[in-house]
Amino acid sequence: MEVRHATAPDQIPGATTDWLRRRFLVERLFVPGEVRLLYSHEDRIVVGGAQPGDTPLRLHSPDPLRSAYFLERRELGVVNVGEPDGEPGTVTVDGTPYALAAKECLYVGRGALEVTFEGGPFYLVSTPAHATLPTVRATMEDAEPVRLGGRDGSNERTIYKYIHAKGIQSCQLVLGVTVLEPGSMWNTMPCHTHERRTEVYLYFDLPPGERVIHLMGRPDETRNLVVADRQAVISPPWSVHCGFGTRSYSFVWAMGGENQAFEDMEQVAIGEMR
């Protein structure tokens, strides 16, 4: 498990491309036959990728967590980020299997002793948990899709909110999937920050050779990261998070922190960005 320490906005001026990528971009989450995890000190979020081969993979508790098992003090969100027309994968929680098709979600509550993965690949997001809540599977239809944007802004997209205050219940984790329509490239514009939460984007459904240009940093001093398919970006509370792609794509957005209010954000007018 890789561990990354928290950052501050005054570290950004003068930062090199390599420095930014090493601290905010998660490049190799998905490796065949492995469960790979990264532990961020930004709100203690763990992100990971499980890409099973011929045999199932088990979610272990790495040493930095100092726990008897991974979900001893944590909750977990899982999303199948495989091909849209691929076979469903299976996540088994304490002996109960849950089939997940592409873009479907599973919430696993605190206290689950054993979690295994077959098929996939699966994207994992975990936050600390103070209580035990039921494990719940949700399809895209369960998420009550919300369409936003339009063709004139090149941001026609559908948001699928899975884990949130009015959906699947959790202690602090908030998670969903956004799917851009063909021909649309911009996400989350106008952009915003979350002073009380850290957010992580996992970009996927991006064709080989295509990229997303992800904007980050304080609104008045932005930087960019060039992001490939199935790579994640950590956005601390002080950082904006938005981007545009060379082709349409999807992304998983996940948050953890002070509250679960989806609307709790500091909007930034486009004209104020630098």
Side-chain angles (χ1 to χ4, degrees), residues 10-41:
D10 58 7
Q11 295 176 284
I12 300 302
T16 64
T17 298
D18 180 66
W19 189 93
L20 292 170
R21 292 178 72 86
R22 285 188 287 110
R23 282 160 177 79
F24 301 103
L25 181 65
V26 188
E27 296 188 77
R28 296 190 72 244
L29 271 180
F30 295 92
V31 175
E34 294 185 24
V35 176
R36 295 180 66 88
L37 300 170
L38 182 142
Y39 182 24
S40 172
H41 285 193

Side-chain angles (χ1 to χ4, degrees), residues 5-267:
H5 296 288
T7 55
D10 58 7
Q11 295 176 284
I12 300 302
T16 64
T17 298
D18 180 66
W19 189 93
L20 292 170
R21 292 178 72 86
R22 285 188 287 110
R23 282 160 177 79
F24 301 103
L25 181 65
V26 188
E27 296 188 77
R28 296 190 72 244
L29 271 180
F30 295 92
V31 175
E34 294 185 24
V35 176
R36 295 180 66 88
L37 300 170
L38 182 142
Y39 182 24
S40 172
H41 285 193
E42 308 282 2
D43 282 300
R44 302 289 169 176
I45 288 179
V46 173
V47 296
Q51 188 167 350
D54 295 332
T55 58
L57 293 176
R58 181 179 177 183
L59 181 61
H60 294 279
S61 180
D63 185 66
L65 295 185
R66 293 292 200 274
S67 59
Y69 51 97
F70 187 87
L71 292 171
E72 182 180 15
R73 299 183 299 270
R74 289 185 158 267
E75 57 190 357
L76 174 69
V78 181
V79 177
N80 183 338
V81 293
E83 299 299 326
D85 56 353
E87 292 293 323
T90 301
V91 182
T92 301
V93 180
D94 289 342
T96 301
Y98 298 89
L100 291 185
K103 299 183 180 69
E104 292 184 345
C105 173
L106 181 71
Y107 170 81
V108 185
R110 187 189 73 167
L113 295 173
E114 184 174 78
V115 181
T116 60
F117 307 97
E118 298 177 72
F122 300 100
Y123 176 54
L124 319 177
V125 185
S126 174
T127 52
H130 63 274
T132 299
L133 294 167
T135 294
V136 178
R137 169 185 173 269
T139 67
M140 298 179 78
E141 290 74 19
D142 296 329
E144 298 183 4
V146 177
R147 295 182 65 85
L148 295 174
R151 293 183 180 181
D152 57 340
S154 190
N155 63 355
E156 191 175 7
R157 62 201 190 276
T158 303
I159 297 178
Y160 299 88
K161 292 191 286 185
Y162 284 124
I163 305 172
H164 60 108
K166 297 179 181 179
I168 297 175
Q169 298 298 290
S170 70
C171 292
Q172 66 164 301
L173 181 63
V174 178
L175 180 149
V177 174
T178 296
V179 180
L180 275 71
E181 295 296 322
S184 287
M185 296 173 286
W186 277 99
N187 72 69
T188 324
M189 183 59 73
C191 65
H192 56 263
T193 61
H194 298 285
E195 286 296 335
R196 284 154 291 282
R197 293 194 298 266
T198 293
E199 185 161 13
V200 182
Y201 278 12
L202 184 283
Y203 290 102
F204 68 108
D205 282 351
L206 195 63
E210 307 295 344
R211 295 293 185 268
V212 171
I213 312 304
H214 181 94
L215 301 181
M216 60 155 295
R218 295 295 299 168
D220 60 351
E221 192 163 14
T222 61
R223 298 293 187 271
N224 71 76
L225 296 167
V226 180
V227 185
D229 186 52
R230 295 178 187 166
Q231 293 183 346
V233 180
I234 300 168
S235 298
W238 48 266
S239 178
V240 298
H241 36 282
C242 61
F244 58 93
T246 56
R247 288 291 188 275
S248 57
Y249 52 91
S250 305
F251 64 99
V252 181
W253 44 268
M255 296 178 276
E258 185 69 26
N259 63 38
Q260 296 177 299
F262 183 82
E263 299 79 10
D264 183 14
M265 59 186 76
E266 284 66 49
Q267 298 282 356

